Structures are given as C-alpha cells and as structure tokens.
Amino acid sequence: MTSQNKIFWGIAISLLLLAAGLRLGSLSNRPVHTDEAVHAEKLGDLLERGEYTYDPHEFHGPTLNYVSHAVARLRGHNTHASLDVIDLRLPAALAGILLVAGVLLLRPIGRHELLGALAVVAVCHELVFFSRYSIQEIFLVCFSLYAAIAIHRTFASPALSSRWLWAVLAGLFVGLAHSTKETWVLCLPAAAIALGVVALRFKLRPSIKNNAATLLGQFALALAVATVVAWALLTNFGKNPAALGDSISTYGNYLRRAAGDAAAMGADRHAHPAWRYIEWLFYSPAKGWLYTELFLLVLAGWSFVTGWRRSKSLSPAQCQWRVGLGVYTVVLFAIYSSLTYKTPWCMLGVILPLCILAGCGKIDLLHKAKRTGQSTHAIATGVILAILAFSTIQAYRASFIDTTAHGNPNVYAHTHDDVAALGKVLERWRLADPAAAHTHIQVIALGKDHWPWPWYLRNFKRVGYHTGIDTTSRPGQLIILMAPFGQIDALEAQLIQHLYNAFPAGQKSLYVAPNLPGLPKRMRLRLDIEMRLYVPLALRERMHEALAPAKK
C-alpha cells in the first residue's frame, strides 16, 4: 500500500469511527417516540408469533421489523416485554453507519472528494439523529444510495461478469427500498429529471458497454431480484400473498395523505406550509444554539456551479455527477415541499446528496486556495475545519444534549422526558412490589393519543386504553389521564364524576394524585399534552412504601 493510500484509508477509517461513535453512543438517552413504540409492538408480534401483515394504510414496509427481529434475537430478547431501547435503535444506527460507508463507493466524484463527502455525511446532524431513531427513513436512504451505486456500476463497470453482479445488487437494493417505505418512488422522477439535465448539458450520447440484448437481460434480472425480495419481505415469506399487490395499491392512500387529505392522514397534525422544510433545515433556533445547514447549502451550491461550468480542474465524470446530484437534490426538495404532509425525517433523501455536494465543495475550496497561495490555503483550511467542527458540535448537541428540546428541528411530536421518568418509577414499583404487575391500569387519552404508553407499560398485565371516560366499566386502580392543556380540566371533571358514581354508598374510594418520588407534580406527554395520575389513597401508600429507599 502506498503512502497516499495509507493516508486515505487512515482518514476514512477515522471518519467512519467518528460516525459510528455519534450513532451508537448512549442510544437510550431520550424517551421512546410514538412511532418507535408502534414499531416495538409490531416487533413483538414478529418475535412471539412470527406474525407480520403488511398494512397498505399505515406503518410502511417490514425491513425495519426484520432487522430489529434479528438484532433482538442475537441479544437474547424473544418477547415484547423483554425488549429494551437498544433493540429498537441499534438497527437504525447500523443502517446509518452502512450509509456513511457507502459514500466510499462513489468513486466518480473523485478520490479527495470522497473524503470530503465522507466527513460531511459522518457528522450531519439530521443523518446522525435519525440513525438513532427506530423508523424506516435511514434504511430507505441507505438502500436508495446503494441502489443508485449498483445501477451506475451495471452500466459503467468494465467487466461483463461484474456488470451482471451489479445488476443483481441493483435489484436487491431496489427491492429493499420498495419494502421499506412507499416514498421511495419519489426518487424516480427526481433521478429521471437529473439524468435528462445532465444529458442535455453535457450533450451526452448513449454510451453503454452492453449490447441491447445484454442490457435487456440485466434489466430483467434486476427486476426479477427486486420482485422476489419485495415479495419475500412484504408477504412474510409467503404467509400473506396479497401484500405484494397491496404494496402497489397503497400509493393511492399515500398520495391522498401527502396531499393533506385529513381522512387519509387520520389528522392534520402533519400538514405544514410549503416553506416548512426551509425553516427546519436552515433556521431553527434553540437555547444557546442555531441549527442550520446554510454552510452546507453554500458549499453544495459552489460544487454544483463548478460542475455546471465544466471546471478545468474536474474530469467530465466529476462535472456530470455534480450537476446530476444538484438537480436531483433540488427536484426532490421541490417534490417534498409541494406535499402538504411533512415531517423532518422526510428530508433525509434530500440531505444526503446535499452533504455529498458540500463535501466536494470543501475540497474545491481547498484546491482553489492552494493555487492562490500558501496563506490563502491556510485560511481556507481553517474555514473548512471550522465548518466541520460546527457540524460535529451540532450533531452532538442534537443527539446528546437537545434530545427532546424545542428548537431542535429533528424533535417532532416527541415524547416528553416526563413519560420516561414516570415509566422508570412505575417499573421500579413493579420490581419492588410482587402485586404491582397485576394492577388494573387505565390510560385515558383523547384522540387515541395513548402512545408510547404501550411500550412503558409492556410488563404490566392489566392495562386498558381508552379515548374517553368509560362509564360502563369499573375505574382502574391507576389512571393515567392525558389531554391538551385546554381540555384536560373538563376531562378530569368527567373522571371525578365517574369515580363518584362507580362505587355504591359506603364503598366509595378516594382517588388522589400519587405524588411519586422524583416526579414533577405537573407532567406532560408531549409539549402540548398534559398528563395527570390518580390512584386510590390505599394504593398510593403502598406505592410509596415500595419505592422508599431501603433502611440501613
């Protein structure tokens, strides 16, 4: 290995280790989100009964479930109750690391540019945060990247045998993307437009190493592999044959959801104006910090312009890739912005090519400064290192400090820290009191907003979930009441009336707030949802006794 190769791989491995540290460290440092709790429930079904049924209306595809299933089994966890947060988040973290490593396969952008792109992707705060989050998005972006690399190699690889292999891999990753999340299809028009612009700008003629028959055969092979992969995963290996067809018909459901159909969305809480992504990406002030990707935007814009102008310092392939990535980023951003349905994680497919372009822009700036003079090069190096340090600090803050803070643009409809704190106290009580696990618990939440409580109460045997006060049933021994701040007083009044009427004269039970140790008197499910607890007086005394520190 030459000294240059040693330096290259030394830097690359260091960046991969940095990426791994940011994605794997302290995975349980924030409460479980609603989506994570739902996926945990699905994972429990797969672990305990081998059941997975694709739902064309909700929950997306099963790749997250299957990877999580493998991780949980390897860690010796075989039931929903035995799962922990690491089981939920480690699969996404591994996918995030695999995504970073995939950047090293983008050889056409240039050798130095690979390291620049690798550095930016490794510390991008959105890519770090959602690699620590049990949702499908990081898997989707990872599979899409590898699919794009495999498709390019199918056309560009010099050896015929390797082109067939890349065709198989292209089918594999397209099948995985299709089985992950329905929004993968939004990449297709963006990619088609990007390829068209590149062809027109650089006056490209079809130059394919394969003849028409070979090309058709490779396409058929890739399509067959993609179909088999999607069929196996979506149908739970043949147990639900209709799922493959459902995965196509589902696009009607998601098109209505994306357009803001409240009936398809279930609620309008994800409906946002067209400019919301601009705010999340470029101006999101938090306490003591401003979250912004403006530096990446400027560097990516510089990179695109140098490619568009066919800079003499770049090869034709480098120019073409920069223009293609730039157009793809802009078109995909426009598509997502035009949809009423918006969440921060939907932007990951836009952020990845933006990071790659920004990494190329950093290297351009260094090369241009080096040609200008030594002092200019030193200044440019300092600026690039400062931007990299800013991004690293930003990633650390987002995932380790502002984990649930208002102002962190990645924190969206997130569970409040109070829920995790209460969950820990209830688990301590369960372990200290043998009878606690069989306590009748009622979770009452307006609008079916009781998640993520099924996760935190998974070890309790008698838990009921209600959307209002059920006057036909006997009240629970522990009642968790949740509603928006403007509605919880009225809901509490209904509960008090029910508690009074539920018991005959002489047998009425006095329900009080438990005031459990270490918890605030006023608690929240999320920032806009208040949470109140009620227990019979006798149970409160028993809980306090079980939770009291052991006497020496």
Side-chain angles (χ1 to χ4, degrees):
M1 182 181 287
T2 65
S3 58
Q4 286 188 340
N5 280 338
K6 289 180 180 178
I7 293 172
F8 176 90
W9 284 109
I11 295 173
I13 291 171
S14 298
L15 290 171
L16 287 172
L17 290 174
L18 174 60
L22 289 170
R23 286 157 177 79
L24 292 172
S26 302
L27 282 174
S28 58
N29 67 351
R30 71 171 186 275
V32 169
H33 187 273
T34 288
D35 291 348
E36 294 180 299
V38 172
H39 293 316
E41 193 100 341
K42 301 294 181 183
L43 174 58
D45 292 340
L46 196 57
L47 285 168
E48 295 171 8
R49 296 179 293 279
E51 292 180 0
Y52 169 77
T53 302
Y54 176 72
D55 184 344
H57 301 280
E58 193 58 270
F59 309 127
H60 309 301
T63 52
L64 171 63
N65 306 63
Y66 288 121
V67 177
S68 300
H69 178 271
V71 168
R73 290 286 193 192
L74 288 172
R75 300 186 70 235
H77 298 159
N78 302 314
T79 64
H80 182 242
S82 67
L83 294 173
D84 60 25
V85 175
I86 305 302
D87 293 319
L88 304 186
R89 293 175 179 163
L90 182 57
L94 296 175
I97 296 169
L98 187 63
L99 171 66
V100 178
V103 173
L104 290 171
L105 297 175
L106 293 170
R107 290 184 297 182
I109 68 174
R111 188 172 175 81
H112 293 157
E113 286 78 2
L114 280 178
L115 292 180
L118 187 67
V120 178
V121 173
V123 300
C124 171
H125 77 86
E126 295 94 345
L127 293 175
V128 171
F129 190 92
F130 291 113
S131 294
R132 304 165 53 85
Y133 210 87
S134 182
I135 57 174
Q136 289 89 350
E137 214 68 32
I138 200 70
F139 287 88
L140 175 62
V141 177
C142 179
F143 296 145
S144 298
L145 172 64
Y146 280 92
I149 292 168
I151 291 169
H152 174 259
R153 296 285 182 88
T154 301
F155 292 106
S157 185
L160 178 60
S161 59
S162 63
R163 293 199 294 272
W164 282 100
L165 175 60
W166 283 112
V168 171
L169 292 175
L172 170 66
F173 289 113
V174 168
L176 288 170
H178 178 78
S179 304
T180 298
K181 194 175 181 184
E182 298 76 8
T183 50
W184 81 276
V185 296
L186 299 181
C187 301
L188 300 181
I193 293 172
L195 288 172
V197 171
V198 169
L200 290 173
R201 174 59 182 146
F202 297 96
K203 299 179 181 178
L204 299 179
R205 295 179 180 179
S207 177
I208 300 171
K209 297 182 181 294
N210 302 332
N211 59 40
T214 302
L215 183 63
L216 185 61
Q218 289 169 343
F219 175 79
L221 177 62
L223 182 61
V225 171
T227 302
V228 170
V229 169
W231 174 86
L233 297 178
L234 289 164
T235 66
N236 194 9
F237 301 93
K239 294 179 182 178
N240 177 28
L244 189 61
D246 289 341
S247 73
I248 303 300
S249 63
T250 187
Y251 292 116
N253 301 325
Y254 282 93
L255 186 61
R256 290 192 299 274
R257 171 178 290 191
D261 183 339
M265 295 172 69
D268 62 357
R269 61 184 179 275
H270 300 305
H272 295 280
W275 46 262
R276 183 66 74 203
Y277 285 131
I278 296 174
E279 180 184 76
W280 282 336
L281 285 176
F282 304 118
Y283 187 78
S284 189
K287 186 177 181 181
W289 192 262
L290 174 64
Y291 286 92
T292 181
E293 297 294 16
L294 276 174
F295 296 121
L296 296 191
L297 182 64
V298 171
L299 289 166
W302 171 282
S303 180
F304 174 79
V305 169
T306 57
W308 185 267
R309 296 176 64 181
R310 307 183 195 189
S311 172
K312 294 180 180 180
S313 63
L314 301 175
S315 70
Q318 286 176 302
C319 294
Q320 293 160 19
W321 270 79
R322 292 184 183 203
V323 171
L325 285 170
V327 173
Y328 175 86
T329 303
V330 171
V331 173
L332 190 60
F333 180 82
I335 291 172
Y336 274 114
S337 295
S338 69
L339 304 177
T340 304
Y341 183 97
K342 294 180 177 67
T343 61
W345 47 84
C346 287
M347 275 291 94
L348 296 191
V350 172
I351 289 167
L352 177 63
L354 184 72
C355 287
I356 294 169
L357 280 171
C360 294
K362 286 184 177 183
I363 301 302
D364 280 355
L365 184 60
L366 290 176
H367 286 169
K368 187 176 181 63
K370 189 174 183 179
R371 292 192 297 269
T372 304
Q374 188 172 359
S375 59
T376 306
H377 183 249
I379 294 172
T381 301
V383 170
I384 294 302
L385 290 175
I387 293 174
L388 186 61
F390 173 85
S391 296
T392 305
I393 294 169
Q394 187 162 251
Y396 182 83
R397 284 189 64 99
S399 290
F400 294 89
I401 298 175
D402 297 334
T403 54
T404 60
H406 180 69
N408 181 346
N410 307 305
V411 174
Y412 182 79
H414 207 286
T415 308
H416 198 277
D417 291 326
D418 292 343
V419 175
L422 176 56
K424 288 179 181 179
V425 170
L426 293 178
E427 184 63 12
R428 278 176 48 212
W429 170 50
R430 185 187 69 84
L431 294 173
D433 183 351
H438 297 278
T439 301
H440 180 201
I441 301 174
Q442 284 184 330
V443 181
I444 302 171
L446 295 181
K448 300 181 181 179
D449 208 0
H450 55 262
W451 296 93
W453 275 114
W455 168 259
Y456 287 104
L457 298 176
R458 65 193 183 281
N459 287 309
F460 288 84
K461 310 301 182 185
R462 299 177 60 205
V463 184
Y465 297 94
H466 308 269
T467 58
I469 307 302
D470 183 4
T471 58
T472 63
S473 65
R474 189 177 180 85
Q477 294 168 280
L478 168 61
I479 300 173
I480 302 175
L481 192 71
M482 299 178 294
F485 281 95
Q487 302 177 44
I488 194 162
D489 288 337
L491 189 63
E492 182 183 58
Q494 295 177 38
L495 174 62
I496 292 172
Q497 185 66 38
H498 174 51
L499 292 175
Y500 180 80
N501 294 332
F503 300 97
Q507 299 181 25
K508 297 189 182 298
S509 183
L510 176 62
Y511 276 72
V512 296
N515 296 328
L516 298 174
L519 297 176
K521 290 186 177 180
R522 297 193 67 181
M523 293 185 290
R524 300 181 182 189
L525 174 71
R526 291 192 293 274
L527 286 176
D528 58 335
I529 305 291
E530 188 172 353
M531 184 167 59
R532 297 178 185 177
L533 271 64
Y534 311 88
V535 296
L537 182 59
L539 179 58
R540 183 177 76 169
E541 293 175 355
R542 201 175 84 209
M543 294 175 77
H544 278 260
E545 182 179 348
L547 293 169
K551 294 182 179 179
K552 296 182 179 180

